[in-house]
Amino acid sequence: MFLVFLRVLIIYIVVLVFLRIMGKRQIGEMQPYEVVITLIIADLATLPMSDTNIPLLNGILPLAILVLIHYVITLCTRKSVKIRRLMSGRPVVVISPKGIEYDALKDLNMNIDDLLEMIRQCNYYSFDQVEFAIIETNGKMSVIPTSSNAPATAQDVDVNNPPAQLPHIIISDGKIIKEELKILKLDNKKLNQIIKHIKADNLKQIIVLSIDEKGKTYYQLKGKSFNIVDNIFKEIKL
């Protein structure tokens, strides 16, 4: 009996340490590959707990290998946009100013009822209250409301909100997102002008750079605070 208790305690501590190494994200915030690894770890951990014939090391070793696999995949997804897209997918716009993107819903195996339920969970109760709805790579929905349904702030008093704009991340972790550049109709020459304007020495220095279609820009360089440019297109005369 004491042996079983000791094995359970050891496996519990080992799994706890490994999960802390993997990060603090909750199940609902994990990427698909992280959910798979977590479920396998949970299953493997029960075997040496219940079966004393299994050597303890044989129970811990597979767990350590899974954590190593997780570390390698995470490192690869940080270094490569293509691998990140392969392992995690990409955010999908399911509602745009044109309305419901039905083809995107079919690709996600969702129906209208699913979409409406997710909108309600974001505290919006009608499709016409939503300018953009985006299914993130972890399966959660992000909503950008229409200007008339956006939460009021002090700046909104007696001021009409401009139409909502969807920001496009064109640089992430020093990697250029070419698809987003095409949407904004930016070429390498214009991108270099933008990089020079924000005073970045090279791509690796840029943690994130996003631009919406009106030119509003959010960026952050390593070791520095974020900055916002109201209209970068106007400032550098693109």
Side-chain angles (χ1 to χ4, degrees):
M1 185 67 181
F2 177 75
L3 179 61
V4 173
F5 174 80
L6 187 61
R7 288 168 67 91
V8 170
L9 181 62
I10 292 173
I11 293 295
Y12 173 79
I13 294 172
V14 169
V15 172
L16 182 62
V17 170
F18 284 169
L19 290 178
R20 287 296 301 273
I21 292 173
M22 289 172 61
K24 294 185 177 181
R25 288 197 285 188
Q26 299 176 0
I27 292 293
E29 298 173 339
M30 289 182 176
Q31 299 298 335
Y33 71 90
E34 293 176 313
V35 174
V36 171
I37 289 177
T38 302
L39 291 176
I40 294 175
I41 285 177
D43 192 44
L44 287 176
T46 60
L47 297 177
M49 286 183 181
S50 57
D51 190 350
T52 55
N53 292 321
I54 299 175
L56 199 57
L57 183 60
N58 289 356
I60 295 175
L61 186 59
L63 299 178
I65 292 172
L66 281 173
V67 173
L68 178 61
I69 291 172
H70 175 269
Y71 174 79
V72 172
I73 294 175
T74 302
L75 183 63
C76 291
T77 57
R78 288 174 56 191
K79 297 294 184 181
S80 170
V81 174
K82 290 183 179 179
I83 295 178
R84 188 184 314 159
R85 294 277 170 82
L86 177 66
M87 299 302 299
S88 302
R90 64 178 67 193
V92 178
V93 177
V94 291
I95 296 178
S96 70
K98 296 179 182 179
I100 296 171
E101 299 289 341
Y102 189 67
D103 289 339
L105 279 186
K106 289 197 297 183
D107 291 340
L108 293 170
N109 198 25
M110 291 177 60
N111 57 45
I112 300 298
D113 291 337
D114 296 330
L115 182 60
L116 186 57
E117 180 181 346
M118 295 186 78
I119 289 173
R120 288 197 296 265
Q121 290 174 349
C122 294
N123 296 321
Y124 297 96
Y125 302 95
S126 175
F127 293 127
D128 60 5
Q129 293 179 304
V130 177
E131 191 86 9
F132 290 98
I134 305 161
I135 302 297
E136 305 294 354
T137 56
N138 59 15
K140 291 189 174 183
M141 174 180 280
S142 300
V143 170
I144 300 177
T146 58
S147 56
S148 59
N149 288 283
T153 66
Q155 294 177 335
D156 296 329
V157 178
D158 296 327
V159 176
N160 292 324
N161 286 333
Q165 296 292 329
L166 185 65
H168 299 275
I169 296 179
I170 61 175
I171 298 178
S172 174
D173 289 331
K175 306 292 183 182
I176 299 173
I177 313 299
K178 294 182 180 179
E179 295 91 337
E180 303 297 327
L181 279 180
K182 291 179 181 178
I183 292 173
L184 292 173
K185 299 179 180 179
L186 295 174
D187 55 24
N188 289 334
K189 181 179 178 181
K190 293 177 180 178
L191 178 60
N192 288 333
Q193 287 180 262
I194 293 172
I195 293 172
K196 183 178 179 181
H197 185 76
I198 65 174
K199 298 180 181 178
D201 298 327
N202 51 60
L203 285 175
K204 292 183 179 179
Q205 191 182 4
I206 303 173
I207 297 174
V208 64
L209 171 61
S210 70
I211 305 176
D212 68 20
E213 294 183 12
K214 295 294 184 181
K216 185 174 182 180
T217 302
Y218 175 103
Y219 69 93
Q220 184 173 353
L221 307 182
K222 289 182 179 179
K224 297 183 180 180
S225 301
F226 74 88
N227 283 282
I228 295 175
V229 179
D230 289 332
N231 189 341
I232 201 163
F233 299 150
K234 183 177 180 181
E235 289 198 12
I236 60 179
K237 299 178 181 179
L238 288 181

